[in-house]
Amino acid sequence: MINKKSSLRAWFKANLGFVVFVVVLCISRSSVADWYVVPTGSMKPTIVEGDRIFVNKMAYQLELPFTDIPIVKIANPERGDIVIINSIAADTRLVKRVIGLPGDKIAMMNNQLVINGKVIHYLQSADPALAIEQLPTKAHALQWVGQNTSMDHFSTITVPEGQYLVLGDNRNNSADSRVYGFVPKAQIQGKALKVIVSLDADNYYLPRAERLLHQLI
């Protein structure tokens, strides 16, 4: 037993730098910054399957490492932000875009948003499946593929205090607030900023050169 304890102490002494590095890395990924693999196309064309996205976990609050307990409030999510959600309702991690802020009145008619009584405009591209959604603070790409009459409209709803309405950019193929309801701020884990690298599963997982360090809008 003594020899085993001595050996363990010797190992830690010899590898102290590596141990410290691993601990700091884990704490950083938990509370400062992280990266996530996107497995679905619910945010196309902005984010595609296979993207590894960089997330600023301190964008909105600093949390106690390895928990969801906030220590310091930094900012509130803004309309148009792409956020990572540790969704209890969905029982999984989601990547969505913030559309409705606390107190907003939101409606959707035939896939057209109405925010606080103002109809949102869309610029069509040469591809009828793509458009630019002109949110009041940020314009971004949007995709419509297929029809989903159960999700392309809803009557005016008011976003409760401390919660947010989120939607996917692949508007007809996204399980978002229309399925799981409003998102409490405590479940928003950070803001997605850019694609680190993207691997194409249909092409032997080769990197997509055009998406390397691609900025997310």
Side-chain angles (χ1 to χ4, degrees):
M1 180 65 70
I2 295 177
N3 290 336
K4 287 185 177 180
K5 287 183 178 179
S6 299
S7 298
L8 188 59
R9 272 197 298 268
W11 185 90
F12 271 108
K13 186 176 181 180
N15 295 277
L16 181 60
F18 175 74
V19 172
V20 170
F21 170 77
V22 171
V23 171
V24 171
L25 178 62
C26 291
I27 291 175
S28 297
R29 289 197 63 184
S30 173
S31 300
V32 180
D34 204 353
W35 60 89
Y36 297 107
V37 179
V38 179
T40 73
S42 70
M43 280 294 292
K44 293 172 77 172
T46 309
I47 301 173
V48 302
E49 300 96 321
D51 281 355
R52 273 67 173 167
I53 57 176
F54 174 79
V55 177
N56 178 6
K57 300 195 74 174
M58 291 182 60
Y60 308 120
Q61 61 191 17
L62 176 63
E63 297 179 344
L64 188 68
F66 312 114
T67 75
D68 292 335
I69 301 173
I71 301 174
V72 179
K73 176 184 174 181
I74 297 175
N76 291 316
E78 297 180 356
R79 196 186 326 277
D81 285 357
I82 300 173
V83 296
I84 303 297
I85 304 161
N86 187 19
S87 174
I88 294 176
D91 193 28
T92 190
R93 183 178 293 132
L94 304 175
V95 182
K96 304 296 175 186
R97 189 180 297 274
V98 175
I99 299 296
L101 307 179
D104 279 349
K105 298 184 183 299
I106 311 288
M108 180 182 284
M109 299 179 294
N110 296 322
N111 265 327
Q112 185 172 43
L113 283 170
V114 180
I115 301 177
N116 296 323
K118 296 182 179 180
V119 177
I120 302 302
H121 297 289
Y122 299 82
L123 298 178
Q124 292 296 144
S125 69
D127 185 341
L130 300 177
I132 302 297
E133 184 171 65
Q134 297 184 294
L135 294 177
T137 55
K138 180 182 291 185
H140 68 96
L142 193 71
Q143 176 173 291
W144 287 299
V145 176
Q147 298 294 323
N148 192 331
T149 57
S150 66
M151 294 178 66
D152 64 10
H153 65 276
F154 54 83
S155 301
T156 302
I157 53 177
T158 301
V159 183
E161 284 301 315
Q163 302 195 51
Y164 295 83
L165 185 145
V166 300
L167 297 175
D169 288 352
N170 191 356
R171 200 54 54 84
N172 288 344
N173 293 280
S174 174
D176 41 44
S177 284
R178 294 170 294 180
V179 175
Y180 300 119
F182 300 113
V183 175
K185 185 183 177 184
Q187 294 180 22
I188 296 178
Q189 299 296 295
K191 180 179 180 180
L193 298 179
K194 65 173 57 180
V195 177
I196 301 173
V197 67
S198 182
L199 304 181
D200 189 352
D202 295 327
N203 190 25
Y204 305 102
Y205 290 94
L206 292 175
R208 299 180 176 103
E210 72 279 6
R211 295 196 65 77
L212 180 65
L213 300 180
H214 174 70
Q215 193 74 29
L216 296 176
I217 299 175

